[in-house]
Amino acid sequence: MHTFAYHRPANTRQAAALLAKKETKALAGGQTLLPALKLRLTSVDNVVDLGGIKGLDAIQAKGRNLVVGAMARHAQVATSPVVKKALPALAALAEQIGDPHVRNAGTLGGSIANNDPSADYPAACLGLGATIVTNKRKIPADRFFKGLFETALGRGEIILQVVFPLPKCAAYMKFPNPASRFALVGVFVADFGKEVRVAVTGAGEDGVFRAKDMEAALKKKFTAASLDGIKVPTRGIMSDIHADAAYRAHLVGVMAKRAVAAAGG
Amino acid sequence: MSATGIGARVRRVEDQRFITGRGQYTDDIHRPYETRAYFVRSPHAHATIKSIDKRKAEKMPGVLAVLTGEDVAADKLGDLFCGWMVLSKDGSPMKAGSHPALAKGKVRYVGDHVAVVIAETLDQAKNATAEVKVDYGVLPAVADLRKARDPKAAQIHDNAPKNTVYEWVLGDQAAVDAAFAQAKHVTRLEMVNNRLIPNAIEPRAAIGEYEPGTDTYTLWSTSQNPHVLRLGLSAFIGLCPEHKFRVISPDVGGGFGSKIFIYPEETVCIWASKKVGRPVRWTAERSESFQADAHGRDHVTTGELALDANGKMLALRVKTLANLGGYLSTFSSAVPTFLYAPLLSGQYAIPAIVCEVDGVYTNTAPVDAYRGAGRPEACFVIERLVEVAARELNMDPAELRRRNFVTQFPYQTPVASLYDAGDYKASLEKAIQIADYKNFGRRRQESERRGKLRGVGFSAYIEACGVAPSNLVGQLGAGVGLWESAEISVTPTGMVEVLTGSHSHGQSHETTFAQLVSDRLGIPMNHISVVHGDTDKVQFGMGTYGSRSGPVGMSAIVVAVDKVIAKAKKVAAHILEAAEADIEFKDGKFTVVGTDKSAAFGEIALAAYVAHKFPTAEIEPGLKEHAFYDPTNFTFPAGTHICEVEIDPQTGVTEIANWVAVDDFGTVINPMVVEGQVHGGIAQGVGQALLEGCVYDDSGQLVTGSYMDYTMPRADNLPSFKVDYTTTKCPSNPLGMKGCGEAGAIAAPVALINAITNAVGHEDVPMPATSKAVWHALQKTERRKAAE
Ligand SMILES: Cc1cc2nc3c(=O)[nH]c(=O)nc-3n(C[C@H](O)[C@H](O)[C@H](O)COP(=O)(O)OP(=O)(O)OC[C@H]3O[C@@H](n4cnc5c(N)ncnc54)[C@H](O)[C@@H]3O)c2cc1C
């Protein structure tokens, strides 16, 4: 690992000031950043640890929303009674990320800021139409995820929390990559009554995406059978040694149906 | 049987230190003034090295030396070598290409060793490797063994035209052709035995230290066979005379074959320690293990089995293309030849067999022995053919096997192996019963009701352990003998040190060897210690691989123990004032037959060292004996595994619903340890069959270079195994042992593929049968159904 300066600011303002510098990165759970530094895939001059900022890991139900702090660890989300009651699908998703070590260190903010095309949380954010709250603005999930490892975040912009609207019902179905156990395909479905959202992770060449055909079909009737006959096109679907585009596209259909069934549809 | 004797489930002596983090692995050892080595590795699969500019790197902070192939050549360090000569059919010797410890002029795979930086710290070494400027002339590469002999393919070693190392044959071609001409039915299959990356939990590591005061070298290394490593580095690579060189293999965290070999890294560490005048340490990072540990398997085979109208096997014809990688690793040449073809007869009486093997170079990491080494590949070929033949003949696969089993022993196969003992029907029937095979149809229907596909597969495997005797392996081309040594050193207080030439890296020798000696000498296990892995302490030995430590290593211990008892009897005769012929040794006591006069083992040990009461002109003082034991034959463990799978046709995911293993290992010293070996072996076999596959792309880049892409088996991929035994004793060693270390990995893959193809409904399922592969195979089943 190349040497860098380590900072641990006490509040968001100081953090933002430090992060405005070049070659500087925020550190949350370190589960993505630290391996990249150790393997010398990235090098930075400054690391700004967000762990010293109080309250960034808070989880609260607020009216018809669940608000999860950016520094909430996956294990916290998985086991939080608040999440389990308000949005059990999110707790179940967090439970399926990585292994205990990763879940006890990795964070919601780190995961979505990184926007790995195979990460689980982006599916929940997009599938629930969440709002990502930063120190500068509020960004709807539909405009936050911008392709592989790309987001709408600007330099010095820090995710503070994510606001998840509460659906009537929701579920996430993950088909893990046999090696990495990230999502080979993951489908998050949420029924809001007036709107149904279906978000797919692991499959898209540009990262997480919404399956609009499925949403339309499910809006008519929220049941797995509504998805019969909807064939996911292979265009834009990732292909690698674990799954070619045909198999992945097929799995999107299977996981979507299973998610709808699990959500009670 | 006593609580710790042969056959007892004794808890492992070594677990206390391993589980509490008190093991001493090579990377735990630190030497004063040690330095760190980091290698510059080739990013290209095939390239010439036009020049290396190391001037900037040498000036980097902390750097002590930057060494390249030029320095290796200047010091006249010999090439790494392949220690088993294999001759082609035309009698010509195999084409071993040059293999310097650091590449000279050319690199031949991604991860090949181009230069080494030695620095004060690892980070400094890494920083400097980034500044070693290598000017490569990139050449076309060939990674796929099927393309290696294409006349247009890249030429990897100048002395091996068409990248061919050898074209080898075993068996009688004419007899096989004649039998095929008579056959009623021929089953033919194309099979790919997928390439594997070993993944021992402890990566390879080395610390080299040169001591100028005594002009001696010490190498700490993760070797499975420290004496062979010392011999190779000394006599072949020419580092220094053997007596000036100590090799220590301390605790080693798994090897599976990959730590048998002599690699560039440890060679460089020990050589460079003299150059920099300080100890040089290196521990592989996991990505280096993926790139540069010797890989396993990688065969493409056509197999044909000829049968008569009654399902009697008439002949077997096998043609295999074996990938040996970019260089010939230490034992690589023997794996797809002598460790493969002699097992192709399986458990069956097949009158004629011929096997042709072409070994080829490719621009990939060297391929060498990996758990099972040749035998999993052989077992896969014969057991796939038999299962498919049964399907084609509409016969129960168990029945086809029964009709063809070898039943008379000894049995001479047409492929050199002389089976000494076995009861193949007994293990098959026991496995069938435990697996409740007769109700499989009901379970299949039940699965179908839940929308799942169920399949069952057999593997009636045979393998060979304890490759021996030495004069035979010499005739077959081995550069060494394959005996084993033991020394039993009794202290004056009657404690026993067992010095063994075997090496434990997960096999539990500290437990099972002590158990054996405790049983034989009638003394408690905690009076015994097992010493291995240090050439300064232990007499020359051959190390541990090929499931040889039981049948060969423990046999050597038995012979040495018997010598100790014989000597002690002489001493006891004087102490007990009786004739030597009247002394009986039992349960740790020397007794004068027919009297109550006796002395305990410890008393006689003390008497032997005190030497007051016997004529030392006749009987030497002390109590210490050794043995070099050379077996008379291989051993032949065999058994039947039955695997049942359930497949989700929507996703292609295979779940193992049931696994039964009935093994005949001859005498079992510690069933708990043996079951651990069987479980681990099956897990590795499941890994090969379902999950693990090393992938190089067409340019020779390693695609599966980390755990993000290389799938290791995990607990949730495995069922709870049902393990049982049948027993026929091995007649060729004093304990009747056969060896158990590899059986699971040999038997498992084909059982699974037989089960999956049974569920899928056709034979076209590749290995590893990942969910992707199974799903695509099921699409083919659907298309076939639609076409009908
Ligand atoms: C073995 C392993 C298995 C894994 N398995 C899975 C899996 O199954 N599914 C899955 O989804 N993920 C998986 N992950 C990834 C894991 O979820 C990580 O925790 C996550 O990707 C990054 O979160 P982090 O808190 O560790 O972020 P860090 O590594 O600390 O940071 C990641 C990036 O986000 C930026 N960042 C962090 N926090 C903020 C913030 N608040 N505002 C702005 N930028 C920020 C950092 O600057 C950095 O660029 C796995 C990781 C490992 C090591």
Side-chain angles (χ1 to χ4, degrees), chain A residues 1-2 38-40 175 177-182 240-244 246-247 250-251 254-255 258, chain B residues 123 126-127 648 650-653 691 695 703-704 707-711 714 716-717 771-772 775-776:
Chain A
M1 155 157 37
H2 295 282
K38 281 189 182 170
L39 292 168
R40 300 182 170 221
F175 188 92
N177 176 312
S180 72
R181 304 236 169 150
F182 275 68
D240 56 32
I241 59 168
H242 303 288
D244 50 275
Y247 177 51
H250 165 79
L251 282 180
V254 175
M255 291 299 118
R258 290 185 183 178
Chain B
D123 264 329
K126 282 189 181 182
N127 290 342
D648 177 349
Q650 293 185 14
T651 59
V653 170
L691 305 161
V695 178
V703 179
T704 50
Y707 293 125
M708 294 298 279
D709 285 306
Y710 189 84
T711 313
R714 302 182 204 190
D716 64 355
N717 297 122
S771 57
K772 172 184 83 168
W775 182 77
H776 279 294

Short mmCIF file of all heavy atoms in Angstrom, two decimals, chain A residues 1-2 38-40 175 177-182 240-244 246-247 250-251 254-255 258, chain B residues 123 126-127 648 650-653 691 695 703-704 707-711 714 716-717 771-772 775-776:
data_model
loop_
_atom_site.label_atom_id
_atom_site.label_comp_id
_atom_site.label_asym_id
_atom_site.label_seq_id
_atom_site.Cartn_x
_atom_site.Cartn_y
_atom_site.Cartn_z
N MET A 1 0.86 -1.19 0.00
CA MET A 1 0.00 0.00 0.00
C MET A 1 0.89 1.24 0.00
O MET A 1 1.90 1.27 0.70
CB MET A 1 -0.91 -0.15 1.22
CG MET A 1 -1.47 1.05 1.83
SD MET A 1 -3.00 0.83 2.80
CE MET A 1 -2.88 -0.73 3.65
N HIS A 2 0.54 2.23 -0.81
CA HIS A 2 1.29 3.49 -0.79
C HIS A 2 0.93 4.28 0.46
O HIS A 2 -0.17 4.11 0.98
CB HIS A 2 0.95 4.32 -2.03
CG HIS A 2 1.38 3.66 -3.31
ND1 HIS A 2 2.68 3.66 -3.73
CD2 HIS A 2 0.68 2.95 -4.22
CE1 HIS A 2 2.77 2.98 -4.87
NE2 HIS A 2 1.57 2.53 -5.18
N LYS A 38 -4.59 -1.82 -0.69
CA LYS A 38 -3.59 -2.85 -0.42
C LYS A 38 -3.10 -3.51 -1.69
O LYS A 38 -1.92 -3.83 -1.82
CB LYS A 38 -4.19 -3.93 0.48
CG LYS A 38 -4.26 -3.54 1.93
CD LYS A 38 -4.67 -4.76 2.73
CE LYS A 38 -4.81 -4.46 4.19
NZ LYS A 38 -5.43 -5.59 4.90
N LEU A 39 -4.01 -3.74 -2.62
CA LEU A 39 -3.61 -4.37 -3.89
C LEU A 39 -3.00 -3.35 -4.85
O LEU A 39 -2.66 -3.68 -5.98
CB LEU A 39 -4.80 -5.05 -4.54
CG LEU A 39 -5.35 -6.29 -3.80
CD1 LEU A 39 -6.70 -6.71 -4.35
CD2 LEU A 39 -4.37 -7.44 -3.87
N ARG A 40 -2.89 -2.12 -4.38
CA ARG A 40 -2.32 -1.04 -5.19
C ARG A 40 -3.10 -0.79 -6.47
O ARG A 40 -2.53 -0.41 -7.49
CB ARG A 40 -0.83 -1.32 -5.50
CG ARG A 40 -0.01 -1.45 -4.23
CD ARG A 40 1.46 -1.68 -4.50
NE ARG A 40 2.21 -1.55 -3.25
CZ ARG A 40 3.38 -0.94 -3.13
NH1 ARG A 40 3.96 -0.40 -4.16
NH2 ARG A 40 3.97 -0.86 -1.96
N PHE A 175 -29.55 -14.21 -6.46
CA PHE A 175 -28.86 -15.41 -6.94
C PHE A 175 -27.38 -15.11 -6.83
O PHE A 175 -26.84 -14.32 -7.61
CB PHE A 175 -29.24 -15.74 -8.38
CG PHE A 175 -28.70 -17.07 -8.83
CD1 PHE A 175 -29.47 -18.22 -8.69
CD2 PHE A 175 -27.42 -17.19 -9.36
CE1 PHE A 175 -28.98 -19.46 -9.08
CE2 PHE A 175 -26.92 -18.43 -9.73
CZ PHE A 175 -27.70 -19.57 -9.60
N ASN A 177 -23.39 -15.00 -6.99
CA ASN A 177 -22.26 -15.48 -7.79
C ASN A 177 -21.60 -16.59 -6.97
O ASN A 177 -21.31 -16.40 -5.80
CB ASN A 177 -21.29 -14.31 -8.00
CG ASN A 177 -20.03 -14.71 -8.73
OD1 ASN A 177 -19.39 -15.70 -8.39
ND2 ASN A 177 -19.67 -13.93 -9.72
N PRO A 178 -21.37 -17.76 -7.58
CA PRO A 178 -20.87 -18.88 -6.77
C PRO A 178 -19.51 -18.57 -6.14
O PRO A 178 -19.21 -19.08 -5.07
CB PRO A 178 -20.78 -20.04 -7.77
CG PRO A 178 -20.79 -19.41 -9.13
CD PRO A 178 -21.58 -18.14 -8.99
N ALA A 179 -18.70 -17.77 -6.79
CA ALA A 179 -17.37 -17.48 -6.25
C ALA A 179 -17.41 -16.33 -5.26
O ALA A 179 -17.09 -16.48 -4.09
CB ALA A 179 -16.40 -17.19 -7.39
N SER A 180 -17.82 -15.16 -5.71
CA SER A 180 -17.73 -13.97 -4.87
C SER A 180 -18.91 -13.82 -3.92
O SER A 180 -18.82 -13.17 -2.90
CB SER A 180 -17.67 -12.71 -5.74
OG SER A 180 -18.94 -12.48 -6.33
N ARG A 181 -20.00 -14.43 -4.29
CA ARG A 181 -21.27 -14.33 -3.55
C ARG A 181 -21.85 -12.92 -3.54
O ARG A 181 -22.75 -12.62 -2.77
CB ARG A 181 -21.16 -14.92 -2.15
CG ARG A 181 -20.66 -16.38 -2.21
CD ARG A 181 -21.58 -17.34 -1.53
NE ARG A 181 -21.22 -18.72 -1.83
CZ ARG A 181 -21.43 -19.76 -1.02
NH1 ARG A 181 -22.00 -19.58 0.14
NH2 ARG A 181 -21.11 -20.97 -1.37
N PHE A 182 -21.34 -12.03 -4.38
CA PHE A 182 -22.08 -10.83 -4.72
C PHE A 182 -23.28 -11.31 -5.55
O PHE A 182 -23.40 -12.49 -5.83
CB PHE A 182 -21.21 -9.90 -5.58
CG PHE A 182 -20.29 -8.99 -4.81
CD1 PHE A 182 -19.22 -9.48 -4.10
CD2 PHE A 182 -20.50 -7.61 -4.82
CE1 PHE A 182 -18.36 -8.64 -3.40
CE2 PHE A 182 -19.65 -6.76 -4.11
CZ PHE A 182 -18.59 -7.27 -3.40
N ASP A 240 -20.13 -13.09 -18.43
CA ASP A 240 -18.81 -13.41 -17.91
C ASP A 240 -18.71 -14.92 -17.72
O ASP A 240 -19.63 -15.65 -18.10
CB ASP A 240 -18.51 -12.64 -16.61
CG ASP A 240 -19.55 -12.89 -15.53
OD1 ASP A 240 -20.11 -14.01 -15.49
OD2 ASP A 240 -19.81 -11.98 -14.73
N ILE A 241 -17.63 -15.38 -17.08
CA ILE A 241 -17.46 -16.84 -16.98
C ILE A 241 -18.54 -17.48 -16.12
O ILE A 241 -18.80 -18.66 -16.26
CB ILE A 241 -16.06 -17.25 -16.44
CG1 ILE A 241 -15.81 -16.65 -15.05
CG2 ILE A 241 -14.97 -16.88 -17.41
CD1 ILE A 241 -14.60 -17.27 -14.36
N HIS A 242 -19.17 -16.72 -15.26
CA HIS A 242 -20.17 -17.32 -14.36
C HIS A 242 -21.55 -17.38 -15.00
O HIS A 242 -22.36 -18.24 -14.66
CB HIS A 242 -20.24 -16.54 -13.05
CG HIS A 242 -18.92 -16.48 -12.36
ND1 HIS A 242 -18.36 -17.56 -11.75
CD2 HIS A 242 -18.02 -15.47 -12.24
CE1 HIS A 242 -17.18 -17.22 -11.26
NE2 HIS A 242 -16.95 -15.98 -11.55
N ALA A 243 -21.82 -16.45 -15.87
CA ALA A 243 -23.13 -16.43 -16.52
C ALA A 243 -23.04 -15.64 -17.81
O ALA A 243 -22.61 -14.49 -17.80
CB ALA A 243 -24.16 -15.78 -15.60
N ASP A 244 -23.42 -16.28 -18.90
CA ASP A 244 -23.51 -15.55 -20.16
C ASP A 244 -24.82 -14.76 -20.13
O ASP A 244 -25.66 -14.93 -19.24
CB ASP A 244 -23.47 -16.52 -21.34
CG ASP A 244 -24.44 -17.65 -21.15
OD1 ASP A 244 -24.07 -18.64 -20.47
OD2 ASP A 244 -25.59 -17.53 -21.61
N ALA A 246 -27.52 -14.86 -21.87
CA ALA A 246 -28.78 -15.61 -21.97
C ALA A 246 -29.19 -16.16 -20.61
O ALA A 246 -30.35 -16.07 -20.20
CB ALA A 246 -28.64 -16.75 -22.98
N TYR A 247 -28.23 -16.75 -19.93
CA TYR A 247 -28.52 -17.34 -18.62
C TYR A 247 -28.88 -16.25 -17.61
O TYR A 247 -29.85 -16.36 -16.86
CB TYR A 247 -27.30 -18.14 -18.17
CG TYR A 247 -27.42 -18.77 -16.79
CD1 TYR A 247 -28.52 -19.55 -16.44
CD2 TYR A 247 -26.40 -18.59 -15.84
CE1 TYR A 247 -28.61 -20.14 -15.18
CE2 TYR A 247 -26.48 -19.18 -14.58
CZ TYR A 247 -27.59 -19.95 -14.26
OH TYR A 247 -27.67 -20.52 -13.01
N HIS A 250 -32.31 -14.89 -18.25
CA HIS A 250 -33.28 -15.87 -17.77
C HIS A 250 -33.42 -15.80 -16.25
O HIS A 250 -34.54 -15.82 -15.71
CB HIS A 250 -32.84 -17.27 -18.23
CG HIS A 250 -33.55 -18.38 -17.52
ND1 HIS A 250 -34.83 -18.76 -17.86
CD2 HIS A 250 -33.17 -19.15 -16.47
CE1 HIS A 250 -35.21 -19.74 -17.04
NE2 HIS A 250 -34.22 -20.00 -16.19
N LEU A 251 -32.27 -15.70 -15.57
CA LEU A 251 -32.31 -15.64 -14.10
C LEU A 251 -33.04 -14.41 -13.59
O LEU A 251 -33.69 -14.45 -12.54
CB LEU A 251 -30.89 -15.67 -13.52
CG LEU A 251 -30.17 -17.01 -13.46
CD1 LEU A 251 -28.78 -16.82 -12.86
CD2 LEU A 251 -30.95 -18.04 -12.64
N VAL A 254 -36.54 -15.40 -13.43
CA VAL A 254 -36.82 -16.36 -12.33
C VAL A 254 -36.79 -15.64 -10.98
O VAL A 254 -37.67 -15.82 -10.14
CB VAL A 254 -35.78 -17.51 -12.35
CG1 VAL A 254 -35.99 -18.44 -11.15
CG2 VAL A 254 -35.87 -18.29 -13.66
N MET A 255 -35.77 -14.81 -10.78
CA MET A 255 -35.64 -14.14 -9.49
C MET A 255 -36.77 -13.12 -9.28
O MET A 255 -37.25 -12.94 -8.17
CB MET A 255 -34.27 -13.43 -9.39
CG MET A 255 -33.09 -14.38 -9.30
SD MET A 255 -33.14 -15.45 -7.84
CE MET A 255 -33.23 -17.04 -8.63
N ARG A 258 -39.77 -15.03 -8.18
CA ARG A 258 -39.60 -15.51 -6.80
C ARG A 258 -39.71 -14.34 -5.82
O ARG A 258 -40.22 -14.51 -4.71
CB ARG A 258 -38.26 -16.25 -6.64
CG ARG A 258 -38.30 -17.57 -7.38
CD ARG A 258 -37.06 -18.42 -7.18
NE ARG A 258 -37.18 -19.63 -8.00
CZ ARG A 258 -36.26 -20.57 -8.10
NH1 ARG A 258 -35.13 -20.47 -7.43
NH2 ARG A 258 -36.46 -21.63 -8.86
N ASP B 123 6.99 -3.22 1.54
CA ASP B 123 6.52 -2.08 0.76
C ASP B 123 7.63 -1.49 -0.10
O ASP B 123 7.40 -1.12 -1.25
CB ASP B 123 5.94 -1.00 1.69
CG ASP B 123 4.42 -1.12 1.79
OD1 ASP B 123 3.81 -1.57 0.80
OD2 ASP B 123 3.87 -0.81 2.84
N LYS B 126 8.12 -3.74 -3.00
CA LYS B 126 7.05 -3.57 -3.99
C LYS B 126 7.22 -2.27 -4.77
O LYS B 126 7.03 -2.24 -5.99
CB LYS B 126 5.69 -3.55 -3.29
CG LYS B 126 5.20 -4.91 -2.89
CD LYS B 126 3.76 -4.80 -2.41
CE LYS B 126 3.24 -6.15 -1.97
NZ LYS B 126 1.86 -6.09 -1.54
N ASN B 127 7.54 -1.21 -4.05
CA ASN B 127 7.74 0.07 -4.74
C ASN B 127 8.82 -0.07 -5.81
O ASN B 127 8.70 0.47 -6.91
CB ASN B 127 8.15 1.16 -3.74
CG ASN B 127 7.02 1.54 -2.81
OD1 ASN B 127 5.85 1.25 -3.09
ND2 ASN B 127 7.35 2.18 -1.69
N ASP B 648 -32.52 -27.77 -9.59
CA ASP B 648 -33.61 -26.83 -9.83
C ASP B 648 -33.56 -26.46 -11.32
O ASP B 648 -32.63 -25.78 -11.75
CB ASP B 648 -33.38 -25.59 -8.96
CG ASP B 648 -34.44 -24.51 -9.19
OD1 ASP B 648 -35.21 -24.63 -10.17
OD2 ASP B 648 -34.46 -23.55 -8.40
N GLN B 650 -35.11 -24.43 -13.05
CA GLN B 650 -35.24 -23.00 -13.38
C GLN B 650 -33.92 -22.26 -13.30
O GLN B 650 -33.67 -21.32 -14.05
CB GLN B 650 -36.25 -22.34 -12.44
CG GLN B 650 -37.65 -22.87 -12.69
CD GLN B 650 -38.68 -22.13 -11.85
OE1 GLN B 650 -38.40 -21.08 -11.28
NE2 GLN B 650 -39.85 -22.69 -11.77
N THR B 651 -33.06 -22.67 -12.37
CA THR B 651 -31.80 -21.95 -12.19
C THR B 651 -30.59 -22.79 -12.58
O THR B 651 -29.48 -22.25 -12.70
CB THR B 651 -31.62 -21.57 -10.71
OG1 THR B 651 -31.64 -22.78 -9.93
CG2 THR B 651 -32.72 -20.64 -10.23
N GLY B 652 -30.76 -24.10 -12.69
CA GLY B 652 -29.62 -24.97 -12.97
C GLY B 652 -28.81 -25.31 -11.73
O GLY B 652 -27.75 -25.94 -11.83
N VAL B 653 -29.27 -24.91 -10.57
CA VAL B 653 -28.50 -25.16 -9.34
C VAL B 653 -28.63 -26.63 -8.93
O VAL B 653 -29.74 -27.16 -8.86
CB VAL B 653 -28.97 -24.25 -8.20
CG1 VAL B 653 -28.34 -24.67 -6.86
CG2 VAL B 653 -28.61 -22.80 -8.50
N LEU B 691 -17.79 -26.65 -9.09
CA LEU B 691 -17.49 -25.24 -8.85
C LEU B 691 -16.17 -24.73 -9.41
O LEU B 691 -16.09 -23.63 -9.95
CB LEU B 691 -17.46 -25.00 -7.33
CG LEU B 691 -18.73 -25.42 -6.58
CD1 LEU B 691 -18.45 -25.58 -5.09
CD2 LEU B 691 -19.83 -24.40 -6.80
N VAL B 695 -9.59 -20.75 -15.47
CA VAL B 695 -9.83 -20.25 -16.83
C VAL B 695 -8.72 -19.29 -17.25
O VAL B 695 -8.44 -18.31 -16.55
CB VAL B 695 -11.20 -19.52 -16.92
CG1 VAL B 695 -11.42 -18.97 -18.33
CG2 VAL B 695 -12.34 -20.44 -16.51
N VAL B 703 -8.02 -15.64 -15.96
CA VAL B 703 -9.30 -14.98 -15.65
C VAL B 703 -9.69 -15.26 -14.21
O VAL B 703 -10.20 -14.39 -13.50
CB VAL B 703 -10.40 -15.48 -16.62
CG1 VAL B 703 -11.74 -14.83 -16.29
CG2 VAL B 703 -10.01 -15.20 -18.06
N THR B 704 -9.44 -16.49 -13.75
CA THR B 704 -9.80 -16.86 -12.39
C THR B 704 -8.61 -16.65 -11.46
O THR B 704 -8.06 -17.59 -10.90
CB THR B 704 -10.23 -18.33 -12.33
OG1 THR B 704 -9.21 -19.09 -13.00
CG2 THR B 704 -11.56 -18.57 -13.00
N TYR B 707 -10.43 -15.11 -5.57
CA TYR B 707 -11.67 -15.74 -5.10
C TYR B 707 -12.92 -15.03 -5.59
O TYR B 707 -14.02 -15.51 -5.39
CB TYR B 707 -11.68 -15.83 -3.57
CG TYR B 707 -10.62 -16.76 -3.04
CD1 TYR B 707 -9.69 -16.34 -2.11
CD2 TYR B 707 -10.55 -18.07 -3.52
CE1 TYR B 707 -8.71 -17.20 -1.66
CE2 TYR B 707 -9.57 -18.92 -3.07
CZ TYR B 707 -8.65 -18.49 -2.13
OH TYR B 707 -7.68 -19.35 -1.68
N MET B 708 -12.76 -13.89 -6.25
CA MET B 708 -13.92 -13.25 -6.86
C MET B 708 -14.41 -14.10 -8.03
O MET B 708 -15.58 -14.03 -8.39
CB MET B 708 -13.57 -11.84 -7.36
CG MET B 708 -13.23 -10.86 -6.27
SD MET B 708 -14.61 -10.58 -5.14
CE MET B 708 -15.58 -9.39 -6.07
N ASP B 709 -13.51 -14.87 -8.63
CA ASP B 709 -13.89 -15.64 -9.81
C ASP B 709 -13.60 -17.13 -9.72
O ASP B 709 -14.16 -17.91 -10.48
CB ASP B 709 -13.17 -15.07 -11.05
CG ASP B 709 -13.81 -13.77 -11.48
OD1 ASP B 709 -15.03 -13.75 -11.68
OD2 ASP B 709 -13.09 -12.76 -11.58
N TYR B 710 -12.69 -17.51 -8.83
CA TYR B 710 -12.39 -18.94 -8.68
C TYR B 710 -13.22 -19.46 -7.52
O TYR B 710 -13.10 -19.00 -6.39
CB TYR B 710 -10.91 -19.16 -8.41
CG TYR B 710 -10.53 -20.63 -8.48
CD1 TYR B 710 -10.23 -21.23 -9.70
CD2 TYR B 710 -10.52 -21.42 -7.33
CE1 TYR B 710 -9.92 -22.57 -9.77
CE2 TYR B 710 -10.20 -22.77 -7.40
CZ TYR B 710 -9.91 -23.34 -8.62
OH TYR B 710 -9.60 -24.68 -8.70
N THR B 711 -14.09 -20.41 -7.80
CA THR B 711 -15.07 -20.84 -6.79
C THR B 711 -14.55 -22.02 -5.99
O THR B 711 -14.42 -23.12 -6.51
CB THR B 711 -16.39 -21.25 -7.46
OG1 THR B 711 -16.75 -20.24 -8.41
CG2 THR B 711 -17.48 -21.41 -6.42
N ARG B 714 -17.65 -24.54 -0.40
CA ARG B 714 -17.85 -24.05 0.97
C ARG B 714 -18.81 -25.00 1.67
O ARG B 714 -19.46 -25.83 1.04
CB ARG B 714 -18.44 -22.65 0.95
CG ARG B 714 -17.54 -21.69 0.20
CD ARG B 714 -18.08 -20.27 0.22
NE ARG B 714 -17.54 -19.56 -0.94
CZ ARG B 714 -17.65 -18.27 -1.11
NH1 ARG B 714 -18.29 -17.52 -0.24
NH2 ARG B 714 -17.15 -17.71 -2.19
N ASP B 716 -21.71 -24.79 2.74
CA ASP B 716 -23.11 -24.89 2.30
C ASP B 716 -23.24 -25.54 0.92
O ASP B 716 -24.35 -25.73 0.44
CB ASP B 716 -23.81 -23.52 2.35
CG ASP B 716 -23.19 -22.51 1.41
OD1 ASP B 716 -22.16 -22.81 0.77
OD2 ASP B 716 -23.74 -21.39 1.31
N ASN B 717 -22.12 -25.89 0.29
CA ASN B 717 -22.19 -26.67 -0.96
C ASN B 717 -22.20 -28.17 -0.68
O ASN B 717 -22.32 -28.97 -1.60
CB ASN B 717 -20.97 -26.39 -1.86
CG ASN B 717 -20.90 -24.95 -2.33
OD1 ASN B 717 -19.92 -24.27 -2.08
ND2 ASN B 717 -21.94 -24.48 -2.98
N SER B 771 -24.04 -23.92 -12.26
CA SER B 771 -25.47 -23.73 -12.54
C SER B 771 -25.66 -23.27 -13.98
O SER B 771 -26.60 -23.69 -14.65
CB SER B 771 -26.07 -22.73 -11.55
OG SER B 771 -25.38 -21.51 -11.61
N LYS B 772 -24.73 -22.45 -14.47
CA LYS B 772 -24.81 -22.02 -15.87
C LYS B 772 -24.74 -23.22 -16.80
O LYS B 772 -25.56 -23.38 -17.71
CB LYS B 772 -23.65 -21.05 -16.17
CG LYS B 772 -23.53 -20.69 -17.64
CD LYS B 772 -22.32 -19.81 -17.94
CE LYS B 772 -21.06 -20.63 -18.12
NZ LYS B 772 -19.93 -19.86 -18.68
N TRP B 775 -27.87 -25.39 -16.54
CA TRP B 775 -29.02 -24.74 -17.15
C TRP B 775 -28.96 -24.87 -18.68
O TRP B 775 -29.95 -25.23 -19.33
CB TRP B 775 -29.12 -23.27 -16.73
CG TRP B 775 -30.32 -22.59 -17.31
CD1 TRP B 775 -31.62 -22.69 -16.89
CD2 TRP B 775 -30.34 -21.73 -18.47
NE1 TRP B 775 -32.44 -21.94 -17.69
CE2 TRP B 775 -31.69 -21.34 -18.66
CE3 TRP B 775 -29.36 -21.24 -19.34
CZ2 TRP B 775 -32.07 -20.47 -19.70
CZ3 TRP B 775 -29.74 -20.40 -20.36
CH2 TRP B 775 -31.09 -20.02 -20.54
N HIS B 776 -27.77 -24.63 -19.23
CA HIS B 776 -27.64 -24.76 -20.69
C HIS B 776 -27.86 -26.21 -21.12
O HIS B 776 -28.47 -26.47 -22.16
CB HIS B 776 -26.27 -24.26 -21.16
CG HIS B 776 -26.23 -22.76 -21.31
ND1 HIS B 776 -26.97 -22.09 -22.26
CD2 HIS B 776 -25.56 -21.81 -20.62
CE1 HIS B 776 -26.75 -20.78 -22.15
NE2 HIS B 776 -25.90 -20.58 -21.16
#
